[in-house]
Structure formats: structure tokens, C-alpha cells
Amino acid sequence: MTTEFRHFNGGEPIDAEALGAAVQSHLTYTLGKDAAHATRYDWRMALSYAVRDRITDAWFAATRKTYAEGAKRVYYLSMEFLIGRLLEDALVNLGLADAAEAALKAQGLNLMEVVCDEPDAALGNGGLGRLAACFLESLSTLGCPAMGYGIRYEHGLFRQSFEDGRQVERPEHWLSQQHPWEFERPEARFRLGFGGHVEHVDGRAIWHPAEVVEAEAYDTPIIGWEGKWANTLRLWSAKAVHPFDLGRFNHGDFYGAAEPEALARTISRVLYPDDTTDEGKTLRLKQEFFFTAASLRDILRRFDSEHDDLALLPQKVAIQLNDTHPAIAGPELVRLLHDERGVEFHEAVRLARGCLSYTNHTLLPEALEAWGEGLFAHLLPRHMEIIRRIDEDHAAQYPDRASRILDHGTVRMGELSFLMAHHVNGVSALHTELMKETVFSDLHRLHPERIINQTNGVTPRRWLKSCNGALSDLLTETIGTGWVRDLEQLSRLEPMIGGAGFIEKYAAAKRENKTVFGNWLNEEFNLNVDPDAMFDAQIKRIHEYKRQHLAILQTIADWQAIHDNPNGDWTPRVRIFAGKAAPGYVFAKEIIHLINDVAAVLNADKVTREYLQVVFLPNYNVSLAERIIPASDLSEQISTAGKEASGTGNMKLALNGALTIGTLDGANVEIREHVGAENFFLFGMTAQEVVARREIDGHAGRAIAECPALGRALEAVRSGRFSAGEPDRYRGVVENVSGPDYFLVASDFASYHAKQAEVSAAYRDRDAWARMAAYNTARSGWFSSDRTIGDYMSQIWGAKSLL
Ligand code: F58
Ligand code: PLP
């Protein structure tokens, strides 16, 4: 982490001494601690409060300006915000890192140790939630008046560990300590209903819910680069309307007395509860309605405070639905406008559509949300009526080819979102085209202007400046500081890549990162790795379509080849895996177990371990990503073509100078176009070829027969070579790859294997490799989330920067 002694937000510049005094003051008066007895936690809290004070000034100024200008506001509704730690981000964006380092040093403390004491706020599963967090930061950097709305889960994504190589899940308690960044807003509360019945009186619908809970707001300011603007992340926590039943208590029913509170709080208790049971499904739908409805009420309250004509809504309010999880926003907004404010039904639909837009993040059929009509009507009876009317109106308008919201007893949230949005966007060029051809082909023909592409991006502040100090310093020394705000300036490196001097420094920065990471692996996991070996990373959620099993089978094949010829000229590699499997996803958990079993055998093999090591790092989260990414040489982006909507890990790795080995899937296609085909290791079938290949009977068997290396690797797994005590342990994996192999691991194996050999050969020419890596950095500027958000602002939201 490197910064300069500055404080940008228009306030007084702050130096180490002044910051130190502010920290001391918080230590004494906020935490009630004497410096002589303060722990690392106390110092972190005191520093966080001191930094938060600085953010607050910019935050108020931004809010005042938004009101003063009557500006259009953007509302980003998302079930997930995978924000990670906030202290380092805030220090970097305020230019306070050096001051903080010096202030803590004066107390005998190390800033990085204090920063790492902060628990990750893991209020998301993976890419979708992390994207929302990058977007928040870019919205503030761009000075776009915006607000993120989500749920303040008491427990974020589970903590992963391994026992005998198997994934074990434990609850995450990020709120067990005080969260210094948020402000509780007891005054911002809304009552929300569930269930009950609808009464129709004189053409008016009156919903009488059976159950009511309260949503209470907690606000976290999100500061942009150089502290010029701050927006709010508003998260809702569920509370009981009557928290405590004194009557029951007085009758000795102590548990019963606390029940209403416990039941209400369940709604915001955990991120994405298992929905394999009906109770789980109901809870998920309740969560979706809970945060969406609370957010809409808040949005309308704010709108009312400034305007008195509802017709202005689409001009003043843009609401982005992050996937279909907040799709109930459509019918709920119509209900609020029509039932509660008397706007004519079709006009209410028109106004709602004028505000709403929807991002699709997946084409996987099993991930497209659909609710049983029974469950839906039971929980949200009035919304069911509204949806039926919208669906019938749509079908009446397009009788021949109407793709319906209500279909075979289910409510399809993708279709609902599409019909209630003025724009629908995919997250990479390929994904958007496939959306038009597959899930939304009917609707696209009816509304050809509605689908547009917005390729994802990542914030360069967190994903380069703050996580990769060695490279950031070099970039700043070479082209100045402008790249942090305008990442396309990285292209100014290009002329230097061919010349003398720069490339050595670039390679040295990577080497330094690898050494730091290697030392950490040693300290934390007692693992010895050679920083000159290739660090090859596949870090992401574990999923069949992401094909971690392709990578591990290929690793086994390499290991066998080294054994055949131990004196060969092999390129040393460390294969790094990290990622969580959904608790109920059995196959993904088997893949984790297999990788850990293979790691145990390979790392103990004296013949091969000089050339090949495998590590599976537990508990992948934002902070772990920040450690691995700067130290990686090779980025594994090996999903079955057509299945990864975009990917954002791929962008972070390329930006930090890892070369990609990947398929033509998601944003890999655009990464390859930008960095140059010669700086990217392409393999595998295209999305069209994948579809055709699946039609061929016995495709996996044929592929195995044609590729002896794959046959042999599979045989080693099948025979129990990696599971001595239980030879059948991986029968399921072997049978899947040899039989149905829906994700075409077998069919892509030979191409992947051959490309990996090319990768190994290329790595031996270290100068050439460093040049390819540097081109990846120099040409990744387009993948900044500032570019993405700028395009959302102009093409979807019609929002303006107030900077
Ligand atoms: C991801 N989706 C896409 N979903 O898979 C990835 O390609 C893309 O880069 C990213 O969105 C951002 O656009 C994703 O992360 C989820 O996590 C679901 C959340 C709800 C439960 C099921 C998983
Ligand atoms: N999870 C975490 C913690 C991340 O940091 C990222 C992206 O960097 C992702 C998930 C998404 O990874 P991918 O795009 O490879 O699926």
C-alpha cells in the first residue's frame, strides 16, 4: 500500500501528527481505552473512526449537492455486496495511508497488521456480489448520486475449512465485533407485510397482510477516489414490530415471549439460506421482498420530499435490479403507485418501467429464478394478482409468440424482470448475444431495443493500487498517478515494454509479490514454494461449469509425465486453488476433496515435487483474492464456453500481469481482444461447438479414447491412487467425466493439455513472459469499472456526474 501525504476532500490537509491525535482521541473517548492497554483491535477501531470522520465530510457535501441540484439518483438493488475490508480502501482513496502508517508506527504498531485485523464483510457469494461492491466504489469515484440497497445479514458467507480434505462450513460472525463504518438509522424504519388476503372494494385492492415486520436501515458511506464524493450503502435489518411479548413472559413462557423477535430477525439472519426445503424457499422469497419493498418505500419517501408530481419518477429515479433477486420491485412499485396512490394501472406500469432496468448474470437454467405459484400467492397475494394482469396484458398484445411470466405453475422472475424493465443488460459481449439467442429470444424479438451489453469491470483502486503496491509504485514512477482514475492511461506503458529498463522492473515487482506471498504461505500453511516457479491460480467458486476438475485431471497427467521422465526439463509450477462450494452442492464438494487428496500425494512425492506442487487455500474471500492476484503468473479461466456470463477475476488477474489460459467464454473473449491473441493462451471449443459436441453420442468416451493422457489420469483417480483408504471415493467424478460429461471436460482436455505444455515452454523465456505480462497490464485499462459505470450512466440510467 503506497500513498502520498494528502487529503483531498476539500477539508484541511491532514498529516501523520494530526491523524495520530484523532486516533488517540477516538481511543480515549469512543473506545474508552488507555493507550497503555489498547489492543490491536482497539487501535483498528480508533483509526477506523478517525478515517470515518474524514469520509463523513465528503459524504454530507455530496448529499447536499444532490439535493441542491435536484439530480437524478441511481439506486442499485442487490441481495449481495461482497465488500471485504473497508479500512484500507478508505485510506487509499483519501490518500491517508502514509499518514496512518506513520501515526501507528509512533505507537509501535504496523499498519498492515492493523488493517488485516478487520474481518471481511462477506455479504455475497461471489462474482455478482463483488461486482456490486466495485460498482459502488466507481459510482462514488465518478460522482454519480447513487445508493446501494441490500440486506444487513448477521452472518455473511460461511467460513470454509478442510477436515481430511473435505469442506467444512462454519458460520461467519462479521458482526461479533463492532462494525465501525456503519451508522444505525433507527428513524429510517418501514413496516412490511407478508401473506394474508386481498380485499377488493369499489375497484380498489386492499391488502391485509397476516404478518408484519420492520426494516431498519444501517448506512455505510462509500468514499470515491481522492475523497471527492461519497455515496451510501443502505442495508436493511429485520426487526419485530413488537419485539417482546410481555404477556407471554409474565405467564412464564420465556421462550414464547422472545419468539416474534427471533422470527422477524430470521429474515436478515443469513446470506442465501439453503433453499432445498420449502421453509428455505419461503425465507429466500421473504428476504427478496423484504429488502426490495423497504428500498422502494425509502426511494419514494425521498422522491416525495423533493417533488410532488409522480409523473417525474422516471426522470429522477433509476433503479437497477442486480439479477432477478429484487425482481419483485416491478409489481411492488406498481402496487405502491396504483393501490396506494391511485395512479391508473397502465400508467403505474409505465412509470415503474421508466425507472427499472435489469442485469442478467447467468444463462444456466437451474439458476434462473422461478417460484411455485402457490408459494408466491401465499406470501404475496396482491403481487400475484398484479403479475397475472401484467402477464395477461402482455399475452394479449402478442398473442402468437408470447413468452409468459406465469408458466406451468411457476412465476418466472427473468421474464417478469424483462417485461418490467426499460433496459436489460448482459455482462459481456458474448453473454449478451447468447441472451438474445436463448433465454430471452422471444422477448428480444418483441422488444429488440431492450437488451444491451455492459461488459463488467473492476475497480483499479482496490484491485491494483491497494493490493499490488510493488506494481503500483512502478506504474506511478513510469507514467504518473493519472492511471488510478483513468485506467486507460496504462496504454502509455506500451512504448516502454519493448525497450530496456522497464521490463526488468516489471518482472522484479512480480518477483517481489511472489516472495511476499510465498512467505505468507510458509507462515500460515507451512508450505515451501519457490518464487521462481510459475504461480498458476484458479480462484473462484467451485462449480462444474468452471471446471476445476479439468484443471486437476490435467495436473495429474503432468505429474504422471514427470514420473515417466524425472530427469526431463520440466518447468516448475505451483497450482493454486481457492474457492467455496455451496453447502448442498455434492459434486463441487467432491472436486474440493479430490484436489486436496491429489495435493497430499503430489506434495509428498520426492520425485516430482520440485516441479509440481498443489495447494488449496481455505476460505476464499476478497482479502485472500487480494493476496493471490498480485502474485499470480497464470490465470485459469477454463469454463465451458457459453457458461461463464463474464467473469471478473479474469480481469483482475490480467490487470495484475497474469497471462490467461482460457476458453472463448464470457469476458475472456474481450480480454483476449484487448491484450492481443499473442498474449493469451486460448484453448477449447467455442460456444457453438460445445452445443454441437453435446449432441454426439458418447462424446466423452471418444475423447478419452483419443487422449491417452486423459485415460491414464482418470484411471489413477478411479483406482484410488489418491484415496487409498477408500478406492471408490471418486467414482462419481470419474463416471461423470467418462459418461454424460455435460460440461465437456473430456472433449476439451486434449486442447487444454497441449496448451498447458505451450504455457510451460513459454515461461522458460522469462523476458518474453514478462513482456507478455506487461502487455496484459498495459492493455487492461478498458476493464475498469469506471468505464462500465460511465456506460450504465449514459446508456441506461440517464444519470450525470456531479463532480
Ligand atoms: C456471476 N454470477 C457470473 N451469481 O457467474 C459471472 O460470470 C459474472 O462475472 C458475475 O456474476 C458478475 O456479473 C454470480 O456470481 C451468484 O453468485 C448467484 C447469487 C444468488 C445465488 C446463486 C449464485
Ligand atoms: N469471489 C471473490 C472473493 C472475488 O474476489 C471474485 C473476483 O475477483 C470472485 C468471487 C469472482 O471470480 P470469477 O469472476 O473468477 O468467478
Side-chain angles (χ1 to χ4, degrees), residues 146-221:
M147 204 153 172
Y149 277 115
I151 298 179
R152 184 178 181 269
Y153 301 106
E154 270 174 58
H155 304 286
L157 187 58
F158 65 86
R159 181 180 289 277
Q160 177 199 53
S161 58
F162 302 129
E163 279 176 15
D164 298 326
R166 288 188 179 85
Q167 170 173 297
V168 175
E169 301 109 29
R170 295 204 169 79
E172 176 77 38
H173 300 288
W174 74 294
L175 287 175
S176 62
Q177 299 173 335
Q178 267 183 65
H179 182 53
W181 303 105
E182 68 183 6
F183 294 86
E184 188 176 357
R185 303 291 191 208
E187 76 285 4
R189 278 172 180 255
F190 294 101
R191 291 196 172 179
L192 307 164
F194 297 103
H197 68 279
V198 182
E199 192 186 358
H200 289 270
V201 186
D202 301 333
R204 270 193 65 218
I206 305 163
W207 177 25
H208 301 282
E211 182 193 342
V212 177
V213 297
E214 268 189 0
E216 188 196 344
Y218 288 76
D219 288 349
T220 300

Side-chain angles (χ1 to χ4, degrees), residues 639-650:
S639 50
T640 315
K643 296 294 177 193
E644 186 71 87
S646 162
T648 49
N650 47 5

Side-chain angles (χ1 to χ4, degrees), residues 365-670:
E366 68 274 20
L368 296 171
E369 279 193 303
W371 300 104
E373 272 188 45
L375 172 98
F376 199 100
H378 178 72
L379 207 61
L380 300 168
R382 176 59 185 147
H383 300 80
M384 193 68 222
E385 292 179 353
I386 292 171
I387 290 173
R388 189 159 280 129
R389 190 157 170 199
I390 294 169
D391 194 38
E392 281 164 5
D393 282 357
H394 169 70
Q397 227 181 325
Y398 305 101
D400 330 329
R401 333 176 272 208
S403 170
R404 304 292 295 256
I405 302 172
L406 299 175
D407 185 53
H408 294 92
T410 61
V411 188
R412 302 199 296 172
M413 302 306 261
E415 280 70 11
L416 172 63
S417 304
F418 190 108
L419 288 172
M420 288 306 302
H422 59 85
H423 280 97
V424 176
N425 77 283
V427 288
S428 74
L430 175 68
H431 166 66
T432 301
E433 287 315 300
L434 292 174
M435 237 166 81
K436 292 178 187 168
E437 289 165 20
T438 59
V439 270
F440 295 132
S441 58
D442 276 3
L443 292 172
H444 173 58
R445 271 195 297 274
L446 301 176
H447 303 282
E449 75 303 330
R450 200 165 291 185
I451 296 184
I452 64 169
N453 179 54
Q454 296 297 346
T455 299
N456 285 165
V458 302
T459 166
R461 271 71 64 186
R462 183 181 287 260
W463 295 108
L464 182 53
K465 172 129 179 93
S466 108
C467 75
N468 194 343
L471 181 55
S472 294
D473 286 351
L474 174 62
L475 298 175
T476 299
E477 173 194 313
T478 315
I479 57 170
T481 54
W483 61 270
V484 183
R485 169 63 188 84
D486 174 13
L487 200 61
E488 302 240 31
Q489 287 190 23
L490 291 180
S491 65
R492 290 169 51 200
L493 297 168
E494 285 216 26
M496 278 158 255
I497 295 176
F502 176 75
I503 254 335
E504 288 72 25
K505 291 186 195 160
Y506 184 90
K510 179 63 81 179
R511 180 77 172 47
E512 183 184 329
N513 292 338
K514 291 173 73 176
T515 305
V516 170
F517 181 64
N519 292 341
W520 179 78
L521 284 181
N522 199 306
E523 275 162 33
E524 295 288 319
F525 303 98
N526 200 19
L527 227 136
N528 256 316
V529 294
D530 173 4
D532 285 320
M534 183 201 305
F535 286 9
D536 170 356
Q538 188 172 15
I539 49 174
K540 46 184 79 250
R541 290 295 294 241
I542 311 300
H543 205 292
E544 280 161 283
Y545 84 79
K546 292 180 182 274
R547 298 200 295 194
Q548 281 88 357
H549 48 334
L550 172 58
I552 200 65
L553 285 168
Q554 199 280 329
T555 308
I556 295 169
D558 270 357
W559 171 68
Q560 292 170 324
I562 300 171
H563 254 288
D564 290 348
N565 178 16
N567 299 318
D569 208 2
W570 303 104
T571 306
R573 256 197 219 228
V574 183
R575 292 203 72 143
I576 300 158
F577 293 90
K580 295 177 184 176
Y585 192 169
V586 175
F587 194 86
K589 290 176 135 179
E590 279 176 18
I591 294 173
I592 292 180
H593 197 185
L594 173 61
I595 296 173
N596 277 323
D597 274 350
V598 170
V601 171
L602 269 58
N603 297 348
D605 189 330
K606 294 199 179 71
V607 179
T608 59
R609 69 183 174 197
E610 177 185 348
Y611 299 115
L612 188 57
Q613 284 170 294
V614 178
V615 290
F616 201 129
L617 298 173
N619 205 36
Y620 185 53
N621 59 12
V622 174
S623 299
L624 184 54
E626 287 169 11
R627 280 185 198 279
I628 301 173
I629 289 171
S632 297
D633 296 302
L634 188 68
S635 159
E636 300 271 348
Q637 306 300 336
I638 63 176
S639 50
T640 315
K643 296 294 177 193
E644 186 71 87
S646 162
T648 49
N650 47 5
M651 300 169 186
K652 295 168 191 175
L653 282 152
L655 179 63
N656 283 274
L659 299 185
T660 305
I661 179 163
T663 48
L664 281 180
D665 199 15
N668 293 354
V669 177
E670 289 151 273

